[in-house]
Amino acid sequence: MAVTLAVLSGLSQWAPSVRAQEGVAVKRGGVIRYGHFQEPACLFGGWVQQWYLQRQYSDNLVARSDDGKIAPWLAESWTISDDKKVYTFEIKPNVKFTDGTALDAQAIADNINGWLSNDPDLRNPTAAPYLSDSFESAKAIAPQRLQVTLKTPFQPLLNVFAQSSQGILSPSALKRGLAVNCENPVGSGPFIVDKWRHGREVTFRRNPDYNSAPATAKHQGPAYVDGISWKFLPDQTVRYGSLITGETDAIYDIPAIAWKDANSRFGILRHITGGTPLRLALYAARPPFDDVLVRKAFAYSTDRKAAVDTSFLGSLPFEGNGALSQSSPEYLHELGRAYTYDIRQANQLLDRAGWTERNRNGIRVKNGNSLTVRISYSNAILKPDGEQALQVIQQQARVAGFDVRLQPTNPADFFAGRNLGPDDYEIVLLYWVAPGAEIFRISWKPDQNGEPNRFNPSRFQDSALWEVIQRAEQDFSSAERAGLYQQAEWKIVDEAPVIGFTVLDVTLATSPNLKDVWLDHGSVGEPVFYDAHFDERK
């Protein structure tokens, strides 16, 4: 017998429209002027910066609440078969995309099948790495009933469907091709993409017919504000200054130097994303980091906490657990203290690894080769204050005999692969956001049939680790699944193919007259302006 996970009669727990129930009048109108950091090359895709935008104009099949429970969105209810391979979703009726196309079970099936296809215009760079191995089909078995069939059970499926990168787009619009859709994507969400002025802003206008808010929202029906002016202000001083002068109503990513001031005068929102922290991935497939002793020596040689605390002025927490973010349900706090600074231990490990000689500059040498490591990074990934932290690490590691060389790369070149080839780096600074430990599939899936896993920059491959991850994914017992993921977490930290650096957070500062902006803690902290409204001072 199938298990019903959510039914209409049981939706009271999600308590929509709290303000309406309380009889609170909300002022309507106005345009939110929002200052953001980075501008992507397309208004949807696999980079989290694209997810933030997509959250404004598209809806997902399901939502994920702050406590990790899956909540209704376009799917009002769903069942899972006894063998955990067949999911049947009942789709909310009378929903349309903003181009007039009906949003029914067939439209969602077309999206999902496109995500997992080989069509470059439709393939989803986030969904595909999660689901390619387990997915069999998606089809409409009635106008409002969707059936997704898997080849093997995959418990994180609903978490994947809840991420904004899996927002459902109009299948009619998708036929226009990727180039057109990148500029003007069409969803069913509370806002409509009006115009993208490259290098300046994306403007959104309210969808007056919106009727498909998630159960996690604070109200139902159209958004309160008329639209959003999503400005790209990459300079953090300019961005924060725009909020002080009243040129914006909200800004993303509060600079470290302004953290204290912002907390004293503005509303502050913060979410530490799940998945991986911002971490140093050590290339484990060739010297010197093919030796676990050298990987651990590098970790012990650097006081990363001090480097982070100093550079970010205490505004951004250090994260010592390189495997998993502290907001992930499976996070082990004791691993947050892994590899604390110990120069004596670092020197002993390097001696054991055979790096016993030093050249006249103090750099260790083995078989005529110096202990040189190149760190590739980009400000697409690293906040501006983080570069100073890397410089501190560079100096710290030199005491142990590492010659650390920094390789900054501009975002366009970084995403094009510059300084990321197999011979281009020994360390790369990266993250991958997700609700929790399902991220392990992305990072640690071994190469298949000679095809490298391009999401594994450390190139560390371990069959025993992969076996534990797969067992976790197929286990529907919460306690047992968490135990398996934590077993994997221990192994990753112990083998040190990645070492922790900082948490990855999303921060927003909002003006006092802008109310009810929220970050989607159930997903990856996307800013949500759907419930936002101005008070009488606007």
Side-chain angles (χ1 to χ4, degrees):
M1 182 179 71
V3 178
T4 300
L5 293 184
V7 294
L8 285 172
S9 60
L11 298 185
S12 59
Q13 61 179 311
W14 303 112
S17 194
V18 173
R19 286 184 170 274
Q21 291 175 358
E22 294 175 347
V24 176
V26 173
K27 180 184 177 184
R28 298 176 184 274
V31 173
I32 297 173
R33 300 161 301 166
Y34 169 63
H36 197 72
F37 179 16
Q38 293 158 310
E39 180 176 16
C42 178
L43 297 185
F44 63 94
W47 188 22
V48 70
Q49 301 296 327
Q50 296 166 304
W51 303 19
Y52 298 156
L53 289 153
Q54 190 167 355
R55 183 66 173 76
Q56 315 308 318
Y57 64 80
S58 70
D59 293 325
N60 283 61
L61 188 58
V62 293
R64 186 173 182 272
S65 64
D66 290 0
D67 62 3
K69 294 179 179 176
I70 299 299
W73 196 340
L74 290 173
E76 292 185 318
S77 64
W78 54 92
T79 60
I80 304 174
S81 65
D82 288 346
D83 65 1
K84 314 299 184 190
K85 294 182 181 178
V86 181
Y87 289 64
T88 303
F89 299 90
E90 302 297 331
I91 305 303
K92 189 178 293 183
N94 305 316
V95 178
K96 288 186 176 181
F97 295 100
T98 53
D99 64 356
T101 303
L103 199 166
D104 54 14
Q106 186 61 56
I108 300 174
D110 289 346
N111 271 256
I112 296 174
N113 287 316
W115 299 343
L116 282 305
S117 74
N118 292 320
D119 185 337
D121 282 6
L122 301 175
R123 190 169 176 82
N124 184 311
T126 303
Y130 281 117
L131 304 180
S132 291
D133 287 350
S134 59
F135 177 76
E136 182 171 303
S137 65
K139 61 182 179 182
I141 58 176
Q144 301 304 129
R145 184 170 296 159
L146 170 73
Q147 188 173 84
V148 175
T149 303
L150 304 179
K151 290 179 284 190
T152 56
F154 183 67
Q155 193 280 337
L157 178 71
L158 297 179
N159 271 358
V160 175
F161 282 161
Q163 298 175 16
S164 294
S165 50
Q166 279 68 260
I168 305 299
L169 301 180
S170 165
S172 302
L174 287 173
K175 292 176 183 176
R176 301 175 301 172
L178 185 60
V180 176
N181 284 298
C182 274
E183 290 280 327
N184 186 25
V186 178
S188 60
F191 296 100
I192 301 169
V193 176
D194 197 25
K195 190 172 183 59
W196 183 4
R197 298 177 178 83
H198 290 260
R200 295 174 56 194
E201 64 175 349
V202 177
T203 55
F204 297 90
R205 55 187 165 86
R206 178 173 51 204
N207 175 4
D209 302 317
Y210 188 57
N211 62 351
S212 49
T216 52
K218 296 181 178 180
H219 82 287
Q220 298 290 306
Y224 294 129
V225 297
D226 294 330
I228 308 167
S229 170
W230 188 290
K231 301 174 183 293
F232 298 108
L233 303 173
D235 186 291
Q236 60 179 0
T237 303
V238 171
R239 192 168 61 252
Y240 186 64
S242 73
L243 186 61
I244 293 175
T245 60
E247 296 172 76
T248 56
D249 305 300
I251 63 155
Y252 175 84
D253 195 40
I254 303 162
I257 196 168
W259 180 254
K260 184 177 180 180
D261 180 70
N263 276 270
S264 70
R265 65 164 82 187
F266 301 117
I268 301 298
L269 302 173
R270 182 178 218 174
H271 173 62
I272 295 176
T273 62
T276 78
L278 185 59
R279 60 188 182 178
L280 300 165
L282 279 55
Y283 200 103
R286 56 173 166 75
F289 289 137
D290 58 340
D291 188 335
V292 66
L293 299 178
V294 183
R295 298 198 294 270
K296 292 185 176 184
F298 184 82
Y300 281 121
S301 74
T302 55
D303 190 350
R304 287 159 287 128
K305 183 178 187 309
V308 169
D309 289 348
T310 300
S311 301
F312 290 96
L313 306 175
S315 67
L316 186 67
F318 166 70
E319 176 55 80
N321 180 346
L324 197 61
S325 166
Q326 58 188 253
S327 67
S328 300
E330 306 84 359
Y331 178 80
L332 289 167
H333 289 274
E334 56 266 44
L335 295 181
R337 300 184 293 275
Y339 303 111
T340 54
Y341 178 63
D342 187 339
I343 188 64
R344 181 171 173 271
Q345 179 84 320
N347 281 320
Q348 289 178 344
L349 288 166
L350 289 172
D351 287 344
R352 286 174 55 195
W355 293 88
T356 53
E357 300 178 17
R358 292 188 186 239
N359 64 23
R360 61 183 180 182
N361 296 318
I363 303 303
R364 289 184 182 256
V365 176
K366 179 180 178 181
N367 299 327
N369 299 311
S370 63
L371 188 52
T372 299
V373 297
R374 298 161 292 173
I375 302 180
S376 284
Y377 65 98
S378 170
N379 62 14
I381 305 295
L382 181 65
K383 298 183 183 192
D385 302 301
E387 189 156 15
Q388 181 185 343
L390 291 182
Q391 291 166 356
V392 173
I393 287 172
Q394 181 183 37
Q395 296 305 313
Q396 292 169 337
R398 190 176 185 88
V399 177
F402 285 95
D403 176 17
V404 179
R405 301 179 182 180
L406 303 182
Q407 296 187 150
T409 309
N410 71 59
D413 287 345
F414 193 76
F415 287 126
R418 185 176 180 186
N419 291 332
L420 294 176
D423 298 319
D424 292 342
Y425 66 92
E426 283 71 41
I427 299 174
V428 63
L429 193 70
L430 286 173
Y431 63 79
W432 191 298
V433 297
E438 62 266 30
I439 196 63
F440 289 167
R441 160 169 285 270
I442 304 293
S443 298
W444 307 115
K445 179 182 176 181
D447 298 348
Q448 302 287 312
N449 303 317
E451 182 71 22
N453 175 3
R454 63 190 181 93
F455 305 116
N456 176 8
S458 77
R459 309 302 305 135
F460 176 78
Q461 303 190 64
D462 186 291
S463 57
L465 172 64
W466 180 233
E467 173 64 24
V468 172
I469 292 169
Q470 290 180 295
R471 286 170 55 201
E473 292 171 343
Q474 297 182 29
D475 198 322
F476 279 65
S477 162
S478 297
E480 293 178 11
R481 184 175 61 260
L484 288 165
Y485 273 137
Q486 288 170 347
Q487 184 180 333
E489 191 178 344
W490 270 107
K491 186 170 183 60
I492 294 164
V493 172
D494 186 55
E495 294 286 345
V498 288
I499 57 176
F501 186 53
T502 74
V503 304
L504 187 70
D505 68 348
V506 177
T507 60
L508 254 68
T510 62
S511 65
N513 67 329
L514 181 62
K515 310 296 184 185
D516 286 340
V517 179
W518 52 283
L519 302 177
D520 193 340
H521 293 198
S523 186
V524 296
E526 301 95 324
V528 180
F529 294 111
Y530 164 62
D531 290 309
H533 57 93
F534 292 101
D535 68 13
E536 295 303 323
R537 284 177 288 180
K538 179 68 177 179

